[in-house]
Amino acid sequence: MPDLSKITCIEDLRVIAQSRVPRMFYDYADSGAWTEGTYRANEADFQKIKLRQRVAVNMEGRSTRTTMVGEEVAMPVAIAPTGLTGMQHADGEILGARAAKAFGIPFTLSTMSICSLEDIAENTDRHPFWFQLYVMRDRDFIERLIERARAANVSALQLTLDLQILGQRHKDIKNGLTAPPKPTLRNLINLAGKPRWCLGMLGTKRRSFGNIVGHAKGVGDLSSLSSWTAEQFDPALSWADVEWIKKLWGGKLILKGILDVEDARLAASSGADALIVSNHGGRQLDGAPSSIEALPAIAEAVGTEIEVWMDGGIRSGQDVLKARALGARGTLIGRSFLYGLGAFGEAGVTRALQILQKELDITMAFCGRTQIDQVDSSILLPGTF
């Protein structure tokens, strides 16, 4: 295990990941749609919120432990579903799931992952994890995917609602994003400077979309995958599909991609167990509000009808605390996790989680709280949120 004690913040991991991950995959993770205004706002809007420092308060016996959809978690943080994670680092989803299991937080596998549902189950001794589902036109494939999730011991299903069509991300187009990379001169020159990444990829068989290739009709290899995905995301997705999936799955259901109060009320009435206030990391509708800006009104609108979580822009434990104060029972991290993975593999993910928990714990104490479940908006400075 490398000594990562001098890695003190998520930004340290980001800088190292940028130097080690091939450009097309680093840019895929660290970019937003169009002008990237919403992507930047996700981070920047956290900084506007100020905390109230309290003193002469007994700070002993602190705990960040809580629950998310009834599952015990070491802190109110889960690893978000991120596509192409296994291209940030060889076997990336497996490494992330292992780190999450050891730390005591949930890991969410994306439909568009490199490692498959079965890979995660096999390499974590069938430890429960979450699975994120996209609604495809091929409903038979969706039914089989849900059955595979059940067989892999998935304990909650995350249904993503904000990717019926794909937002335009300029960097992906310019980089000619593919998995694995196409052997163009530009890509080969870039890969030559990433020996750690290349060695890792040479040592794994997982270089494609493990949940799709060999499972979806007509998709036996990478050459047929791109045309399949272009045709399969369903623009006709509706609340009737949410009800169909809820009945088909039968377990805990989380709805991801809620950014509007009206949609939040519909999510609450759907019978789902949780909703995630999310703008897809600023990767879909550019010009939409940041997740933290949208959170308070949504939390107020649905009250205790449904658990409210959020993702987008979380780069510190302070961000987690602020989200909790504004009504989020839980949070999800995508880029903060990917930076750690790209920088140091499993050890980097563990270090990212350690950083977030320490920042959360210390900041909570400075705000006069010892239990995360005691945190509410009274820890925030009025007028800054």
Side-chain angles (χ1 to χ4, degrees):
M1 293 286 288
D3 179 11
L4 302 184
S5 59
K6 298 297 191 294
I7 303 293
T8 59
C9 59
I10 298 299
E11 175 63 11
D12 289 348
L13 293 170
R14 187 200 67 77
V15 171
I16 296 169
Q18 188 173 25
S19 72
R20 293 187 172 181
V21 178
R23 176 177 49 239
M24 69 165 58
F25 298 121
Y26 176 81
D27 282 354
Y28 171 77
D30 201 21
S31 65
W34 289 334
T35 70
E36 299 191 332
T38 297
Y39 160 55
R40 291 191 299 271
N42 274 348
E43 288 187 59
D45 286 356
F46 271 109
Q47 305 310 311
K48 301 172 185 177
I49 303 167
K50 302 304 178 186
L51 300 160
R52 293 176 62 202
Q53 177 177 300
R54 304 301 302 277
V55 298
V57 175
N58 185 345
M59 296 180 181
E60 295 176 315
R62 298 190 304 279
S63 175
T64 60
R65 298 194 67 82
T66 185
T67 62
M68 295 173 68
V69 288
E71 297 185 21
E72 291 276 342
V73 293
M75 59 178 170
V77 174
I79 290 180
T82 54
L84 292 172
T85 298
M87 288 289 133
Q88 301 293 321
H89 189 288
D91 299 335
E93 291 91 354
I94 291 171
L95 303 183
R98 283 177 176 169
K101 174 187 174 182
F103 204 86
I105 66 164
F107 173 83
T108 316
L109 184 71
S110 170
T111 292
M112 305 304 292
S113 60
I114 302 300
C115 302
S116 68
L117 282 154
E118 293 79 10
D119 287 332
I120 303 304
E122 180 182 346
N123 286 276
T124 59
D125 297 321
R126 293 186 54 77
H127 183 74
F129 64 102
W130 297 346
F131 180 62
Q132 174 269 336
L133 182 71
Y134 287 121
V135 177
M136 308 293 190
R137 293 179 192 267
D138 185 347
R139 293 300 200 263
D140 180 60
F141 171 70
I142 292 298
E143 290 184 17
R144 285 183 284 114
L145 196 55
I146 287 174
E147 283 305 312
R148 289 171 58 202
R150 188 176 287 114
N153 202 29
V154 165
S155 59
L157 195 69
Q158 275 186 34
L159 177 59
T160 294
L161 300 176
D162 62 352
L163 206 123
Q164 292 167 263
I165 56 175
L166 193 65
Q168 181 169 309
R169 302 148 199 172
H170 297 331
K171 291 176 184 174
D172 291 350
I173 296 171
K174 289 180 169 65
N175 288 331
L177 179 72
T178 59
K182 289 180 180 176
T184 64
L185 179 61
R186 184 172 186 244
N187 288 337
L188 289 172
I189 291 171
N190 184 246
L191 288 172
K194 317 292 182 184
R196 290 171 180 259
W197 186 91
C198 292
L199 284 172
M201 284 297 162
L202 286 172
T204 182
K205 61 185 178 181
R206 302 176 183 92
R207 304 187 193 98
S208 184
F209 292 96
N211 290 321
I212 298 171
V213 174
H215 296 282
K217 291 175 184 174
V219 184
D221 54 35
L222 281 171
S223 63
S224 52
L225 178 67
S226 58
S227 59
W228 183 85
T229 52
E231 297 166 359
Q232 279 298 319
F233 285 98
D234 192 351
L237 172 66
S238 71
W239 288 101
D241 294 310
V242 174
E243 180 62 24
W244 173 69
I245 288 170
K246 183 176 184 296
K247 289 179 179 177
L248 189 64
W249 169 240
K252 294 174 183 175
L253 181 65
I254 301 151
L255 302 181
K256 185 174 185 289
I258 304 298
L259 209 59
D260 185 88
V261 166
E262 188 173 345
D263 286 336
R265 291 193 177 106
L266 290 168
S269 64
S270 74
D273 298 275
L275 67 83
I276 305 173
V277 178
S278 173
N279 52 35
H280 216 98
R283 296 161 64 77
Q284 284 295 91
L285 176 60
D286 191 34
S290 68
S291 296
I292 194 64
E293 182 183 5
L295 171 63
I298 288 174
E300 183 178 2
V302 300
T304 58
E305 294 177 65
I306 186 172
E307 282 192 24
V308 175
W309 306 345
M310 68 81 64
D311 76 0
I314 292 175
R315 304 290 184 271
S316 71
Q318 288 201 343
D319 295 340
V320 175
L321 189 72
K322 290 172 182 178
R324 183 80 185 207
L326 290 176
R329 180 162 191 85
T331 63
L332 290 90
I333 55 167
R335 293 182 178 100
S336 290
F337 143 69
L338 292 176
Y339 298 150
L341 179 68
F344 296 105
E346 184 174 346
V349 178
T350 299
R351 187 60 184 152
L353 298 178
Q354 291 170 342
I355 288 167
L356 292 174
Q357 187 177 42
K358 184 173 183 180
E359 291 171 341
L360 173 61
D361 173 65
I362 291 175
T363 306
M364 181 174 70
F366 282 140
C367 292
R369 299 289 189 277
T370 57
Q371 307 294 316
I372 194 67
D373 286 336
Q374 298 172 346
V375 170
D376 57 23
S377 62
S378 65
I379 72 163
L380 305 176
L381 192 66
T384 67
F385 62 94

